[in-house]
Structures are given as C-alpha cells and as structure tokens.
Amino acid sequence: MTAAPPPDVTRRALLSGSAAALGTAALAQTSSAFAASNASELSLGARAAAKGLLFGASFATHELDKPYGAQYAETYKREARILTSEAELKLYTMRPDALSLDFAPADRLVAFARENGHVLHGHTLIWNDALPDWIKRLGPGEAELLLETHIRTVLERYGAEIPTWDVVNEPIGPWDNLPGGLRGGAFYTALGEDYIARSFRLARKTAPNVRLYLNEAQTESDDENGEVFRKSFLALLHRLKDQSVPVDGVGFECHLDSKRPYDFPRFAAYVEEVAAMGFEIAISELDINDRALPSNPSERDAHVADFYKRFLAAVLPIKAVRRLTLWQIADHTSWMFYDDVAKNPGARRRPRPLPFDERFRKKPAWHAIAAALDDMPAR
Ligand code: XIL
C-alpha cells in the first residue's frame, strides 16, 4: 500500500504558484517534494503529542548491538516520545542469581533516553511471572524481604529518571485457581493478595513523585477468557481502592491476537468504567499477533493495519488514555519474532505485528496508526 501525499504538501504546492504555473516541471517538483517530505513525514510521536498523548514503544538495549542497531536507534529517535524497558528492569535481568545486582542494561537504557530526549516508563518492579529460578525457590520470609529490598533499591536508583512505573505486573491468572482469580507465584505465596498493596505503598513511600501503575493482560478479547480477566481485574481494582492503595494508573497491555474475537467498543466501555474509578489509563503493550491472518504478506499487512485502525478508533477517544505504547517497533524485534523465527530460522512465515518491517520501512500499520492519531480528539 502506498501513502497518499499529506494534504498540506499538495496544498502548499498549489498555493506556491498559480494553477497555470503547475506545468510538468512543477508537478515533477511536487512529487520530489513529496518524496523528501515522506522521509521527514510527521512521526507518530509528534502526531500523538499534538493531541496530548504520549506515544512510544518498548525498547530493548541489546538490539543496539545488532547489525541494524543504528537504524533501530534512529527509528525510536524519530517516532517515539516514551520508551518502556522491555527486559532491562525485570527481575531476571537485574538479579540473575542471589548474589548479583546488574544495573548495566537499565543504566544503558537511561543513558539512551537522556541523550535522545525520551521519557521512560519502568517495567516492572514486581511480577509473579518471569522470575529467575532462585527466586521461585525462596521461602515466604525471604520473598517478602526481596520484594521490599527490590522496590527500595530500584526506585532509589531510578525514581528520579523514570517518572512512571508498573509496580505490579499481571496480577490476574485464573489458571492458578486462587481466590479472586489472582496469579500465583513467589510473592503471592509469601503475602497473599497483600503483596500488591504492600508493593504500591512501599513504592509511594520510597519515591513519592513517581506515578504508580498496575498493568494487566488479556482483558481485551470478547470471549470467556477476556470476560474472566475483566471481572477479576475490576474486582481487584475495587478492593485496592477500598483500601486506599496508592494506584495512580492502570495499564491495559493489548497484545491483540487474530485468533481471538474482539468487540472493541465493548472493551472501550470497560476501559471507561476503570477510568471512571479515577485511574489514568495507558495502552501499554499494543501489538497484533497475525498468526490467523492470510500468509500473503501484503494481504496480512492490510489486515494488521485494519486491526490497529479499529482498535484505536475505539480507545483513543477515551480522555483518560494518556499513553499509547507498542510492544517494540519493527517486526523482527518483536517478541513474536524471538519466539518464532529466531528459534526456527528456516520458518517460511515471519510475523508482521508492528508498524515497521524488517528493514525499518513503514508498513500499512504505520499509516493506520498515524491516521488514528490524526483523527483522535485532543486530551
Ligand atoms: C516479553 C518480552 O517482550 C520478551 O522479550 C520476554 O522474553 C518475555 O517478556 N507481558 C508483559 C511483558 O508484561 O513483560 C512481556 O514481554 C510480554 C507480555
């Protein structure tokens, strides 16, 4: 799909001379002006900022070391205003074993953001998933101590540089059959549901200026799974509010999956319900899993673009949505690529979930997101 020239380019070309002066030479000039303007086309970050929305993507510092590292950096410098740490602040990165504390990847992320003027979002302080084995083996008292030490250590170091944080990630996990549909794991085992309130209270106390988020997955789909997640999550938010737990914001991950059914206006009504409780809202990890879409890449790209279009048309009018973050920026840096092609390099079908392709060229998804940002009401 090719993009139509932005209307202002054509209009400017027309206004710069009389209609009669627009002969062949002038037309040639117009199209080369367009080619140039395409390279400097208004970025997604700038379009969102014009509406009072922070736009960005998760960022992985290890991608800077790849042969395409410079293009990766360039794409983020141009398109993103906010970066979410993809793995740099996770427990398995920072605390690979009981004796180490590795700040190097997070320091590198902070330096990149500072150099390029990006805002940062910290992901994530406490999560019952994605833990190194040594944490899974801790006894309850040790897990409680780790939760407290970790929150203090990380916020004391980065609280001034990183203004918003996922304090707890993905609290819901119905498959664990726990009360409230909560997800089990080391921190839940140690403290029960109270691990959530404890984490938020300690985060507020340690870094009072930081905005504290609760981030959740799988609330989006219009099926039984989505229904269970929405119900359990909403009930948890009400319990936290009743206990005056300092939760400022709620992140909806929005890893959309072409295999699942969706009713985006219905999901948007749910987000409105959460916003009405007084929370600021982030769409925190948006991408489109294209596994059920046609194999033909251009057909698939059109479907993925349409997914973005329909989803964003439903959620961007919600005034409480303050941030829109994609989960990575290019198809080959997506977690879907790492889960799939990187493990099976002979794979003929490569995932195409994001707005840039494997050569950092804009895809139809980029244009769909740009149009959705242009059409949304300002905050
Ligand atoms: C994913 C990363 O993208 C992968 O690189 C990593 O291997 C596993 O985690 N929900 C979250 C994110 O909150 O932290 C996950 O990120 C994707 C699902």
mmCIF file of all heavy atoms in Angstrom, residues 58 62 85-87 90 92 123-124 127 130 166 169-170 215 217 253 255 285 327-328 333-336 338-339, ligand 1:
data_model
loop_
_atom_site.group_PDB
_atom_site.id
_atom_site.type_symbol
_atom_site.label_atom_id
_atom_site.label_comp_id
_atom_site.label_asym_id
_atom_site.label_seq_id
_atom_site.Cartn_x
_atom_site.Cartn_y
_atom_site.Cartn_z
ATOM 1 N N SER A 58 8.083 -0.261 23.499
ATOM 2 C CA SER A 58 9.087 -0.887 24.358
ATOM 3 C C SER A 58 10.405 -0.891 23.600
ATOM 4 O O SER A 58 10.436 -0.899 22.363
ATOM 5 C CB SER A 58 8.675 -2.302 24.750
ATOM 6 O OG SER A 58 8.725 -3.183 23.645
ATOM 7 N N HIS A 62 19.656 -4.455 23.897
ATOM 8 C CA HIS A 62 20.505 -5.419 23.170
ATOM 9 C C HIS A 62 20.344 -5.293 21.657
ATOM 10 O O HIS A 62 21.234 -5.683 20.891
ATOM 11 C CB HIS A 62 20.232 -6.857 23.635
ATOM 12 C CG HIS A 62 18.874 -7.374 23.281
ATOM 13 N ND1 HIS A 62 18.596 -7.929 22.043
ATOM 14 C CD2 HIS A 62 17.709 -7.404 23.966
ATOM 15 C CE1 HIS A 62 17.328 -8.281 22.000
ATOM 16 N NE2 HIS A 62 16.756 -7.972 23.161
ATOM 17 N N SER A 85 10.946 -0.034 29.240
ATOM 18 C CA SER A 85 12.021 -1.028 29.299
ATOM 19 C C SER A 85 11.425 -2.392 28.983
ATOM 20 O O SER A 85 10.416 -2.775 29.575
ATOM 21 C CB SER A 85 12.629 -1.042 30.695
ATOM 22 O OG SER A 85 11.608 -1.239 31.672
ATOM 23 N N GLU A 86 12.034 -3.122 28.042
ATOM 24 C CA GLU A 86 11.456 -4.429 27.714
ATOM 25 C C GLU A 86 11.933 -5.501 28.695
ATOM 26 O O GLU A 86 11.139 -6.301 29.174
ATOM 27 C CB GLU A 86 11.799 -4.833 26.288
ATOM 28 C CG GLU A 86 11.123 -6.141 25.931
ATOM 29 C CD GLU A 86 10.624 -6.202 24.507
ATOM 30 O OE1 GLU A 86 10.333 -5.153 23.918
ATOM 31 O OE2 GLU A 86 10.543 -7.317 23.986
ATOM 32 N N ALA A 87 13.227 -5.513 29.010
ATOM 33 C CA ALA A 87 13.732 -6.541 29.940
ATOM 34 C C ALA A 87 14.710 -5.963 30.955
ATOM 35 O O ALA A 87 15.045 -6.616 31.945
ATOM 36 C CB ALA A 87 14.429 -7.647 29.153
ATOM 37 N N LYS A 90 13.580 -6.001 34.564
ATOM 38 C CA LYS A 90 12.907 -7.189 35.097
ATOM 39 C C LYS A 90 13.827 -7.920 36.066
ATOM 40 O O LYS A 90 15.060 -7.839 35.954
ATOM 41 C CB LYS A 90 12.491 -8.111 33.948
ATOM 42 C CG LYS A 90 11.278 -7.588 33.174
ATOM 43 C CD LYS A 90 10.923 -8.475 31.999
ATOM 44 C CE LYS A 90 9.684 -7.949 31.280
ATOM 45 N NZ LYS A 90 9.483 -8.577 29.967
ATOM 46 N N TYR A 92 14.640 -10.987 36.311
ATOM 47 C CA TYR A 92 15.600 -11.951 35.768
ATOM 48 C C TYR A 92 16.821 -11.277 35.145
ATOM 49 O O TYR A 92 17.867 -11.879 35.021
ATOM 50 C CB TYR A 92 14.951 -12.974 34.816
ATOM 51 C CG TYR A 92 14.295 -12.420 33.564
ATOM 52 C CD1 TYR A 92 15.048 -11.891 32.506
ATOM 53 C CD2 TYR A 92 12.910 -12.470 33.409
ATOM 54 C CE1 TYR A 92 14.443 -11.412 31.359
ATOM 55 C CE2 TYR A 92 12.290 -11.998 32.258
ATOM 56 C CZ TYR A 92 13.068 -11.466 31.238
ATOM 57 O OH TYR A 92 12.459 -10.988 30.105
ATOM 58 N N HIS A 123 9.274 -0.893 33.657
ATOM 59 C CA HIS A 123 8.512 -2.146 33.596
ATOM 60 C C HIS A 123 9.441 -3.287 34.018
ATOM 61 O O HIS A 123 10.416 -3.521 33.335
ATOM 62 C CB HIS A 123 8.012 -2.354 32.179
ATOM 63 C CG HIS A 123 7.343 -3.687 31.936
ATOM 64 N ND1 HIS A 123 6.057 -3.937 32.345
ATOM 65 C CD2 HIS A 123 7.779 -4.831 31.341
ATOM 66 C CE1 HIS A 123 5.721 -5.193 31.981
ATOM 67 N NE2 HIS A 123 6.752 -5.740 31.390
ATOM 68 N N THR A 124 9.248 -3.943 35.074
ATOM 69 C CA THR A 124 8.207 -3.838 36.086
ATOM 70 C C THR A 124 8.840 -4.169 37.426
ATOM 71 O O THR A 124 9.790 -4.965 37.465
ATOM 72 C CB THR A 124 7.045 -4.815 35.750
ATOM 73 O OG1 THR A 124 6.115 -4.872 36.826
ATOM 74 C CG2 THR A 124 7.560 -6.228 35.515
ATOM 75 N N TRP A 127 6.470 -8.949 39.715
ATOM 76 C CA TRP A 127 5.689 -9.793 38.786
ATOM 77 C C TRP A 127 5.883 -11.233 39.232
ATOM 78 O O TRP A 127 7.030 -11.660 39.418
ATOM 79 C CB TRP A 127 6.212 -9.583 37.349
ATOM 80 C CG TRP A 127 5.421 -10.234 36.257
ATOM 81 C CD1 TRP A 127 4.206 -10.825 36.354
ATOM 82 C CD2 TRP A 127 5.805 -10.340 34.874
ATOM 83 N NE1 TRP A 127 3.797 -11.280 35.118
ATOM 84 C CE2 TRP A 127 4.768 -10.996 34.197
ATOM 85 C CE3 TRP A 127 6.928 -9.936 34.136
ATOM 86 C CZ2 TRP A 127 4.811 -11.268 32.829
ATOM 87 C CZ3 TRP A 127 6.966 -10.207 32.782
ATOM 88 C CH2 TRP A 127 5.920 -10.856 32.132
ATOM 89 N N ALA A 130 7.983 -14.735 35.056
ATOM 90 C CA ALA A 130 9.289 -14.340 34.511
ATOM 91 C C ALA A 130 10.331 -14.135 35.614
ATOM 92 O O ALA A 130 11.101 -13.179 35.581
ATOM 93 C CB ALA A 130 9.139 -13.072 33.653
ATOM 94 N N ASP A 166 5.301 0.405 36.244
ATOM 95 C CA ASP A 166 4.435 -0.719 36.556
ATOM 96 C C ASP A 166 4.958 -1.276 37.876
ATOM 97 O O ASP A 166 6.046 -1.868 37.918
ATOM 98 C CB ASP A 166 4.517 -1.808 35.467
ATOM 99 C CG ASP A 166 3.964 -1.322 34.138
ATOM 100 O OD1 ASP A 166 3.064 -0.454 34.162
ATOM 101 O OD2 ASP A 166 4.418 -1.804 33.090
ATOM 102 N N ASN A 169 2.900 -6.254 37.873
ATOM 103 C CA ASN A 169 2.502 -6.659 36.529
ATOM 104 C C ASN A 169 1.619 -7.908 36.588
ATOM 105 O O ASN A 169 1.879 -8.825 37.380
ATOM 106 C CB ASN A 169 3.759 -6.968 35.706
ATOM 107 C CG ASN A 169 3.503 -7.026 34.214
ATOM 108 O OD1 ASN A 169 2.691 -6.244 33.692
ATOM 109 N ND2 ASN A 169 4.178 -7.925 33.513
ATOM 110 N N GLU A 170 0.596 -7.917 35.769
ATOM 111 C CA GLU A 170 -0.252 -9.090 35.555
ATOM 112 C C GLU A 170 -0.653 -9.825 36.837
ATOM 113 O O GLU A 170 -0.307 -10.986 37.035
ATOM 114 C CB GLU A 170 0.449 -10.053 34.590
ATOM 115 C CG GLU A 170 0.714 -9.410 33.236
ATOM 116 C CD GLU A 170 1.328 -10.371 32.209
ATOM 117 O OE1 GLU A 170 1.656 -11.501 32.577
ATOM 118 O OE2 GLU A 170 1.459 -9.967 31.054
ATOM 119 N N ASN A 215 -0.504 -3.082 35.855
ATOM 120 C CA ASN A 215 -0.558 -3.435 34.429
ATOM 121 C C ASN A 215 -1.170 -4.823 34.255
ATOM 122 O O ASN A 215 -0.809 -5.750 34.983
ATOM 123 C CB ASN A 215 0.887 -3.429 33.904
ATOM 124 C CG ASN A 215 0.985 -3.392 32.396
ATOM 125 O OD1 ASN A 215 0.329 -2.562 31.758
ATOM 126 N ND2 ASN A 215 1.785 -4.265 31.819
ATOM 127 N N ALA A 217 -2.893 -7.964 31.458
ATOM 128 C CA ALA A 217 -3.024 -8.549 30.116
ATOM 129 C C ALA A 217 -4.408 -9.178 29.935
ATOM 130 O O ALA A 217 -5.164 -9.337 30.896
ATOM 131 C CB ALA A 217 -1.965 -9.628 29.931
ATOM 132 N N GLU A 253 -2.508 -4.081 28.519
ATOM 133 C CA GLU A 253 -1.423 -4.451 27.607
ATOM 134 C C GLU A 253 -1.852 -4.421 26.139
ATOM 135 O O GLU A 253 -1.153 -3.902 25.288
ATOM 136 C CB GLU A 253 -0.893 -5.839 27.973
ATOM 137 C CG GLU A 253 -0.179 -5.834 29.318
ATOM 138 C CD GLU A 253 0.475 -7.166 29.656
ATOM 139 O OE1 GLU A 253 0.573 -8.058 28.780
ATOM 140 O OE2 GLU A 253 0.892 -7.316 30.821
ATOM 141 N N HIS A 255 -2.100 -6.993 23.864
ATOM 142 C CA HIS A 255 -1.466 -7.884 22.888
ATOM 143 C C HIS A 255 -2.638 -8.545 22.157
ATOM 144 O O HIS A 255 -3.196 -9.534 22.622
ATOM 145 C CB HIS A 255 -0.612 -8.943 23.582
ATOM 146 C CG HIS A 255 0.605 -8.375 24.245
ATOM 147 N ND1 HIS A 255 1.670 -7.890 23.517
ATOM 148 C CD2 HIS A 255 0.922 -8.206 25.553
ATOM 149 C CE1 HIS A 255 2.602 -7.449 24.357
ATOM 150 N NE2 HIS A 255 2.164 -7.624 25.590
ATOM 151 N N GLU A 285 1.090 -2.163 25.884
ATOM 152 C CA GLU A 285 1.947 -3.119 25.160
ATOM 153 C C GLU A 285 1.303 -3.549 23.841
ATOM 154 O O GLU A 285 1.299 -4.732 23.486
ATOM 155 C CB GLU A 285 2.211 -4.357 26.035
ATOM 156 C CG GLU A 285 2.783 -4.030 27.402
ATOM 157 C CD GLU A 285 3.200 -5.265 28.222
ATOM 158 O OE1 GLU A 285 3.234 -6.378 27.669
ATOM 159 O OE2 GLU A 285 3.492 -5.086 29.421
ATOM 160 N N TRP A 327 4.425 -2.750 21.642
ATOM 161 C CA TRP A 327 5.435 -3.668 22.186
ATOM 162 C C TRP A 327 6.457 -3.922 21.086
ATOM 163 O O TRP A 327 6.280 -4.771 20.234
ATOM 164 C CB TRP A 327 4.789 -4.943 22.715
ATOM 165 C CG TRP A 327 5.597 -5.534 23.821
ATOM 166 C CD1 TRP A 327 6.160 -6.789 23.861
ATOM 167 C CD2 TRP A 327 5.946 -4.911 25.070
ATOM 168 N NE1 TRP A 327 6.851 -6.953 25.051
ATOM 169 C CE2 TRP A 327 6.736 -5.820 25.800
ATOM 170 C CE3 TRP A 327 5.694 -3.648 25.636
ATOM 171 C CZ2 TRP A 327 7.257 -5.534 27.078
ATOM 172 C CZ3 TRP A 327 6.221 -3.354 26.899
ATOM 173 C CH2 TRP A 327 6.982 -4.297 27.591
ATOM 174 N N GLN A 328 7.513 -3.088 21.116
ATOM 175 C CA GLN A 328 8.532 -2.997 20.063
ATOM 176 C C GLN A 328 8.016 -2.207 18.859
ATOM 177 O O GLN A 328 6.853 -1.788 18.828
ATOM 178 C CB GLN A 328 9.038 -4.369 19.633
ATOM 179 C CG GLN A 328 10.099 -4.928 20.584
ATOM 180 C CD GLN A 328 11.381 -4.098 20.595
ATOM 181 O OE1 GLN A 328 11.770 -3.489 19.594
ATOM 182 N NE2 GLN A 328 12.041 -4.071 21.750
ATOM 183 N N THR A 333 12.027 -7.242 15.697
ATOM 184 C CA THR A 333 12.459 -7.025 17.086
ATOM 185 C C THR A 333 11.316 -7.360 18.052
ATOM 186 O O THR A 333 11.464 -7.211 19.266
ATOM 187 C CB THR A 333 12.954 -5.573 17.314
ATOM 188 O OG1 THR A 333 11.884 -4.665 17.049
ATOM 189 C CG2 THR A 333 14.132 -5.251 16.408
ATOM 190 N N SER A 334 10.208 -7.845 17.498
ATOM 191 C CA SER A 334 9.061 -8.223 18.329
ATOM 192 C C SER A 334 9.329 -9.517 19.091
ATOM 193 O O SER A 334 10.038 -10.397 18.596
ATOM 194 C CB SER A 334 7.851 -8.421 17.406
ATOM 195 O OG SER A 334 6.860 -9.181 18.058
ATOM 196 N N TRP A 335 8.707 -9.652 20.250
ATOM 197 C CA TRP A 335 8.826 -10.912 20.994
ATOM 198 C C TRP A 335 8.297 -12.078 20.159
ATOM 199 O O TRP A 335 8.706 -13.212 20.328
ATOM 200 C CB TRP A 335 8.165 -10.825 22.360
ATOM 201 C CG TRP A 335 6.674 -10.566 22.383
ATOM 202 C CD1 TRP A 335 5.956 -9.740 21.571
ATOM 203 C CD2 TRP A 335 5.713 -11.132 23.285
ATOM 204 N NE1 TRP A 335 4.626 -9.736 21.916
ATOM 205 C CE2 TRP A 335 4.443 -10.583 22.973
ATOM 206 C CE3 TRP A 335 5.805 -12.028 24.347
ATOM 207 C CZ2 TRP A 335 3.282 -10.916 23.678
ATOM 208 C CZ3 TRP A 335 4.646 -12.345 25.047
ATOM 209 C CH2 TRP A 335 3.413 -11.804 24.703
ATOM 210 N N MET A 336 7.370 -11.776 19.228
ATOM 211 C CA MET A 336 6.831 -12.851 18.376
ATOM 212 C C MET A 336 7.910 -13.381 17.448
ATOM 213 O O MET A 336 7.974 -14.565 17.167
ATOM 214 C CB MET A 336 5.658 -12.332 17.562
ATOM 215 C CG MET A 336 4.425 -12.152 18.414
ATOM 216 S SD MET A 336 3.176 -11.294 17.476
ATOM 217 C CE MET A 336 2.667 -10.118 18.703
ATOM 218 N N TYR A 338 11.128 -13.373 18.176
ATOM 219 C CA TYR A 338 12.064 -14.154 19.005
ATOM 220 C C TYR A 338 11.475 -15.494 19.406
ATOM 221 O O TYR A 338 12.193 -16.484 19.539
ATOM 222 C CB TYR A 338 12.504 -13.335 20.227
ATOM 223 C CG TYR A 338 13.534 -12.308 19.843
ATOM 224 C CD1 TYR A 338 13.193 -10.973 19.683
ATOM 225 C CD2 TYR A 338 14.840 -12.684 19.586
ATOM 226 C CE1 TYR A 338 14.126 -10.033 19.289
ATOM 227 C CE2 TYR A 338 15.791 -11.755 19.196
ATOM 228 C CZ TYR A 338 15.427 -10.425 19.047
ATOM 229 O OH TYR A 338 16.361 -9.510 18.646
ATOM 230 N N ASP A 339 10.156 -15.522 19.593
ATOM 231 C CA ASP A 339 9.517 -16.778 19.990
ATOM 232 C C ASP A 339 9.427 -17.737 18.831
ATOM 233 O O ASP A 339 9.182 -18.915 19.016
ATOM 234 C CB ASP A 339 8.069 -16.493 20.455
ATOM 235 C CG ASP A 339 8.044 -16.194 21.930
ATOM 236 O OD1 ASP A 339 9.110 -16.211 22.547
ATOM 237 O OD2 ASP A 339 6.943 -15.923 22.455
HETATM 238 C C1 XIL B 1 8.106 -10.170 27.000
HETATM 239 C C2 XIL B 1 9.309 -9.683 26.233
HETATM 240 O O1 XIL B 1 8.890 -8.972 25.103
HETATM 241 C C3 XIL B 1 10.151 -10.854 25.809
HETATM 242 O O2 XIL B 1 11.325 -10.392 25.174
HETATM 243 C C4 XIL B 1 10.489 -11.695 27.022
HETATM 244 O O3 XIL B 1 11.111 -12.844 26.615
HETATM 245 C C5 XIL B 1 9.240 -12.092 27.783
HETATM 246 O O4 XIL B 1 8.509 -10.942 28.102
HETATM 247 N N1 XIL B 1 3.543 -9.080 29.041
HETATM 248 C C6 XIL B 1 4.475 -8.277 29.639
HETATM 249 C C7 XIL B 1 5.833 -8.170 29.033
HETATM 250 O O5 XIL B 1 4.170 -7.578 30.590
HETATM 251 O O6 XIL B 1 6.838 -8.015 30.003
HETATM 252 C C8 XIL B 1 6.161 -9.335 28.153
HETATM 253 O O7 XIL B 1 7.379 -9.061 27.495
HETATM 254 C C9 XIL B 1 5.046 -9.589 27.174
HETATM 255 C C10 XIL B 1 3.771 -9.920 27.891
#
